[in-house]
Amino acid sequence: MRTNCKASLFVAIFLCLTASVAFAQHSAKGKAAEDATTALLQMHSSYQQASATQKQQLLTQFTAMAAQREQLLLSLMQSNPGDVLRVAIPNNVSHTMPPTVKQHVEQSVTAQGVLEVLYEMQGTPDKTTGAVMHHFLNSSNGRLGLHFAASAPTHLLTGSVVKIHGVQVNSELALASGANNNTNTSLQTVTAASAPATSGAVNTLVMMVNFQDNPSAQPWTAAAVQNMVFTQTSNWDMENSFQHTWLTGDVAGWFTVPVASTNCDTASIKSDALAAAQSAGYNVSSYSHYIYLMSSNTGCSAWWGLATIGGGDVWVNGQYNIAVHVFAHEMGHNFGLYHAHTVDCGMQVMCSSGTLSEYGDGFDTMGASSYSSPHYDAFHKEQLGWLNGGGGQPPITTVTSSGIYQLSPTEVQDSNPKALKILQSGTTNTYYYVELRQAQGFDSFLSNYSDVVSGVVFHSASPSNANSSDLLDITPSSPASFSHPALVAGQSYTDANTGITITPVSVSSSGATVQVTLGSGTCTLANPTMTVSPAQSQWVLAGAPVNFAVSVRDNDSPACAQSTFNLTDSLPSGWSGVWNATALTLNPGTTGQATLTVTSPTGTADGFYNVGIAATNASSPSYGNSVTATYVISTPVPASVAVSTNQPSYTGGQTVAISVSVTSGGNPVSGAAVNVTVVKPNGSSSNLSGTTSTNGVASMSYRLNRKATKGMYQAAANANSASASTTFMVQ
Ligand SMILES: [Zn+2]
């Protein structure tokens, strides 16, 4: 939670997430993981070819290497989940490792379960750091932490049932993408959770919780908490929702939970508090929202509040006191809201690659609003149905033609239009939200912001993306000043891309008159968006061709003509890259695809190789973009294979015992994956598979049908790129 210093609403320290697109670079840890993977596979190869005595000696070292690499992957999960995917050892390879090693090696998994989305407000009333969003899957495999290499999902609420595919290390799981589209194979929605109720009485149980090492800590009385939540915060909801939503419920506790005050185990704190409340006579299932109000938890000192997006759980760390702001903010997350951002675009109002401040919007309680508790912005109120809700709530006026429009102040409890919604980009479904804010009610702090109360405030947001609310500095300066964002009466703002001009003609405490002139816009070129699939190839032998599907999206403004993007690749020396199309000609807002086939020279060493792919605007080469994929070469242990059956001939109903022996330099190869194809006299075939044991032999059974076709059968075995075959008769 971003908060203020004493004098100013805005503090200068931001934890910034850069939205700019750059060349995909692998982190230093990513490189270390690559090296650790290569080393582990070399050890695997040595182990497979070792004698029985040598195997015993090597196993300790092999296991230690795997355990060390596991810790590296776990730390990468948090910072660079894409690097975990990049170096993930395929299941068919890890399957051939000894069990003590395999337990430390990641698994590629598919799982279904219930999604939990948590927002942790990092920071305290005196110090701001940032926000961390956590995703968990509660499945039959336990509670798995989800880490998205790209696009954490913003379209799903807590409680949704999803099917995921990713790479699991311990209880952490890396996924390629959380994007909401039909081609996403790493996160699929089975059942979306229904939207939380945001009208009428919101029935809430507040549980005051202290900890076993300090059971006498009771910093607030039940009456004080009752007043803070069910009077002050409820009044805040009433004013924000135009009298449509309020809080009801009970304050329970204090309860002492069997958790130390230094242990930020929020799942146990939740379950222990609920159990204590139930024992104390509260029917906990009769509430829809639960607030775990902790006396003070120094283990959770990174945050003041924690909440599920959707769902109904809120944790408040009493180390930092209690305030309307913290309850209104966290319950906003329960209602489905994300944070209120700013994006610093220098001298531009909007841009595709500015510097994002997660809580940059100090005029929305979902942003950096600290001790004051401002209204939610119009976009957030629209999401909750508090504006445009159809139940007597005030409307938002969607502007589709030039004209003069009226705005009523956000804070005034009437049914007049509270915002103008003007389409800024049809391709991203982004709108300007223009509203009038006055120093009244919970917004009375605005008396310190003279430009805001004498003008109109702009946000951009997309109804397609819940996490898209950006406060705009509509008269930009460099650096941007988001504490003076408004367009004051008499000034005009023109969007060059769309040609829209917006002028607040008059502004007072009772309303604003705004002139909107729609135009035709001018062409503004932009860098295209690029993706590549797969981001990392299967593990292949040197010399194998691998196809990479590349997509390019033209982000030029709608007034632009078609652009042609030249496609180029950057490969290791001597490699071949063949495109099925070397250029894509696209209309603004559309996406095109091409395929690059990459082939490494035979004899290339095992490893992870970068495939650089770029798209450049042919007529304006300063506009372009690039992505990097990975081509993985992995050679199995060089081996020779022998295959035999236990008899030369059989009759129907008998079982054929097939042995496949794999050796390398005379030593048995253990843990080699073996495939056997049995071909009948009529040409039809069956496949068997197995793994060699420490003696280098894989044993398989082929059961003959009672009426098995008579004649000569062939059994062809394949392991580590070597093959052999034998025949047997059925009489
Ligand atoms: Zn938050």
Side-chain angles (χ1 to χ4, degrees):
M1 167 161 306
R2 267 194 42 82
T3 52
N4 69 324
C5 298
K6 283 160 191 110
S8 159
L9 182 63
F10 297 94
V11 294
I13 305 160
F14 289 77
L15 181 85
C16 297
L17 306 170
T18 311
S20 64
V21 183
F23 281 87
Q25 294 293 339
H26 303 292
S27 61
K29 261 189 201 170
K31 182 70 175 69
E34 195 179 291
D35 293 343
T37 304
T38 307
L40 191 73
L41 292 165
Q42 281 166 354
M43 171 59 88
H44 184 213
S45 175
S46 303
Y47 181 86
Q48 282 181 301
Q49 298 173 78
S51 69
T53 317
Q54 290 169 324
K55 276 193 168 80
Q56 281 188 336
Q57 292 163 349
L58 282 176
L59 188 58
T60 308
Q61 193 189 345
F62 192 5
T63 306
M65 283 174 79
Q68 201 169 23
R69 177 176 170 278
E70 180 183 31
Q71 292 308 312
L72 188 58
L73 293 192
L74 281 172
S75 69
L76 265 180
M77 275 284 182
Q78 310 295 332
S79 55
N80 298 74
D83 283 341
V84 175
L85 297 173
R86 175 177 152 88
V87 301
I89 295 174
N91 287 358
N92 64 353
V93 176
S94 62
H95 180 66
T96 65
M97 293 176 173
T100 56
V101 174
K102 195 183 153 196
Q103 67 177 352
H104 294 293
V105 176
E106 64 277 9
Q107 288 289 301
S108 175
V109 298
T110 299
Q112 184 170 313
V114 179
L115 186 70
E116 185 182 349
V117 188
L118 279 171
Y119 233 136
E120 184 179 296
M121 266 39 71
Q122 292 202 323
T124 66
D126 302 317
K127 182 175 160 223
T128 295
T129 50
V132 180
M133 208 191 310
H134 301 279
H135 293 86
F136 293 96
L137 185 79
N138 295 296
S139 75
S140 55
N141 294 349
R143 187 168 183 251
L144 303 174
L146 305 183
H147 305 273
F148 297 91
S151 309
T154 58
H155 60 288
L156 290 170
L157 296 169
T158 296
S160 299
V161 177
V162 296
K163 188 175 174 185
I164 55 96
H165 179 73
V167 170
Q168 183 176 347
V169 183
N170 286 359
S171 59
E172 308 298 324
L173 201 136
L175 301 87
S177 169
N180 181 22
N181 65 46
N182 295 330
T183 60
N184 188 357
T185 53
S186 46
L187 179 76
Q188 294 168 311
T189 304
V190 178
T191 318
S194 53
T198 56
S199 69
V202 175
N203 201 14
T204 303
L205 180 62
V206 183
M207 287 151 280
M208 299 188 294
V209 175
N210 58 28
F211 300 94
Q212 62 182 13
D213 53 336
N214 190 5
S216 60
Q218 298 189 355
W220 311 285
T221 62
V225 174
Q226 176 83 28
N227 172 267
M228 179 61 70
V229 176
F230 295 109
T231 302
Q232 295 189 53
T233 308
S234 183
N235 287 345
W236 186 93
D237 282 314
M238 281 287 268
E239 183 178 306
N240 266 258
S241 66
F242 307 97
Q243 314 296 313
H244 279 77
T245 303
W246 59 95
L247 305 180
T248 58
D250 297 293
V251 178
W254 293 85
F255 301 124
T256 301
V257 294
V259 174
S261 65
T262 51
N263 181 6
C264 193
D265 180 353
T266 52
S268 294
I269 293 165
K270 168 185 168 172
S271 58
D272 292 337
L274 288 172
Q278 188 75 37
S279 300
Y282 295 92
N283 179 12
V284 297
S285 64
S286 67
Y287 302 87
S288 56
H289 294 258
Y290 306 91
I291 298 175
Y292 314 99
L293 176 57
M294 304 186 286
S295 55
S296 171
N297 187 308
T298 54
C300 301
S301 63
W303 50 260
W304 190 3
L306 175 76
T308 54
I309 305 269
D313 292 314
V314 168
W315 293 257
V316 173
N317 188 357
Q319 189 177 354
Y320 305 111
N321 213 339
I322 56 174
V324 171
H325 171 69
V326 71
F327 294 105
H329 179 107
E330 304 303 343
M331 300 234 11
H333 286 316
N334 276 187
F335 293 155
L337 300 183
Y338 288 74
H339 287 141
H341 320 292
T342 56
V343 179
D344 187 346
C345 294
M347 294 304 290
Q348 292 175 281
V349 171
M350 296 175 73
C351 56
S352 58
S353 59
T355 302
L356 172 70
S357 289
E358 176 72 19
Y359 299 99
D361 182 354
F363 300 100
D364 185 317
T365 281
M366 298 314 293
S369 37
S370 69
Y371 295 116
S372 61
S373 40
H375 276 241
Y376 292 149
D377 67 38
F379 169 68
H380 284 146
K381 290 188 182 184
E382 180 185 46
Q383 287 199 297
L384 302 181
W386 293 355
L387 287 175
N388 259 359
Q393 292 91 340
I396 291 175
T397 304
T398 301
V399 175
T400 55
S401 60
S402 299
I404 301 282
Y405 295 90
Q406 304 298 325
L407 283 176
S408 164
T410 290
E411 303 78 9
V412 173
Q413 304 289 299
D414 63 17
S415 56
N416 295 319
K418 298 296 181 185
L420 305 180
K421 188 174 167 183
I422 307 164
L423 188 65
Q424 192 273 332
S425 167
T427 53
T428 58
N429 195 32
T430 299
Y431 288 83
Y432 290 112
Y433 286 79
V434 182
E435 60 187 321
L436 172 65
R437 302 285 290 268
Q438 291 295 308
Q440 300 176 24
F442 282 94
D443 269 355
S444 54
F445 78 102
L446 290 174
S447 57
N448 295 323
Y449 296 86
S450 58
D451 68 312
V452 170
V453 296
S454 56
V456 291
V457 173
F458 287 62
H459 287 82
S460 71
S462 167
S464 313
N465 179 357
N467 193 17
S468 66
S469 175
D470 293 340
L471 173 69
L472 302 181
D473 179 10
I474 205 71
T475 55
S477 55
S478 187
S481 171
F482 289 106
S483 56
H484 300 288
L487 188 68
V488 301
Q491 289 184 320
S492 289
Y493 165 70
T494 298
D495 178 321
N497 287 350
T498 60
I500 297 168
T501 297
I502 300 164
T503 309
V505 178
S506 68
V507 173
S508 75
S509 60
S510 60
T513 302
V514 181
Q515 182 170 21
V516 181
T517 308
L518 303 182
S520 56
T522 55
C523 170
T524 306
L525 297 177
N527 293 327
T529 305
M530 293 184 73
T531 60
V532 59
S533 176
Q536 49 276 319
S537 72
Q538 303 285 310
W539 287 25
V540 298
L541 298 173
V546 174
N547 287 338
F548 293 96
V550 177
S551 79
V552 178
R553 184 178 189 279
D554 181 337
N555 293 322
D556 298 344
S557 71
C560 296
Q562 288 183 329
S563 285
T564 295
F565 296 94
N566 291 330
L567 301 171
T568 54
D569 55 75
S570 167
L571 301 172
S573 174
W575 289 44
S576 133
V578 178
W579 288 93
N580 72 341
T582 55
L584 294 169
T585 299
L586 302 172
N587 287 314
T590 63
T591 301
Q593 272 92 23
T595 301
L596 172 67
T597 304
V598 177
T599 309
S600 57
T602 53
T604 307
D606 286 3
F608 300 85
Y609 294 89
N610 283 346
V611 173
I613 298 166
T616 310
N617 188 314
S619 52
S620 302
S622 60
Y623 293 95
N625 209 338
S626 67
V627 287
T628 305
T630 305
Y631 181 114
V632 190
I633 300 176
S634 175
T635 313
V637 173
S640 52
V641 173
V643 56
S644 60
T645 56
N646 61 331
Q647 294 172 204
S649 69
Y650 304 85
T651 56
Q654 284 190 298
T655 295
V656 183
I658 301 172
S659 289
V660 180
S661 161
V662 183
T663 54
S664 180
N667 280 331
V669 175
S670 61
V674 174
N675 289 295
V676 172
T677 304
V678 178
V679 183
K680 293 180 189 176
N682 64 9
S684 66
S685 64
S686 311
N687 291 308
L688 308 171
S689 62
T691 305
T692 57
S693 58
T694 50
N695 63 0
V697 176
S699 300
M700 280 162 263
S701 299
Y702 178 72
R703 186 167 164 76
L704 290 163
N705 193 300
R706 279 191 163 285
K707 293 178 180 172
T709 312
K710 291 176 177 156
M712 175 86 81
Y713 285 58
Q714 189 195 46
N718 183 299
N720 291 22
S721 303
S723 58
S725 69
T726 188
T727 56
F728 58 89
M729 289 296 291
V730 176
Q731 291 168 335

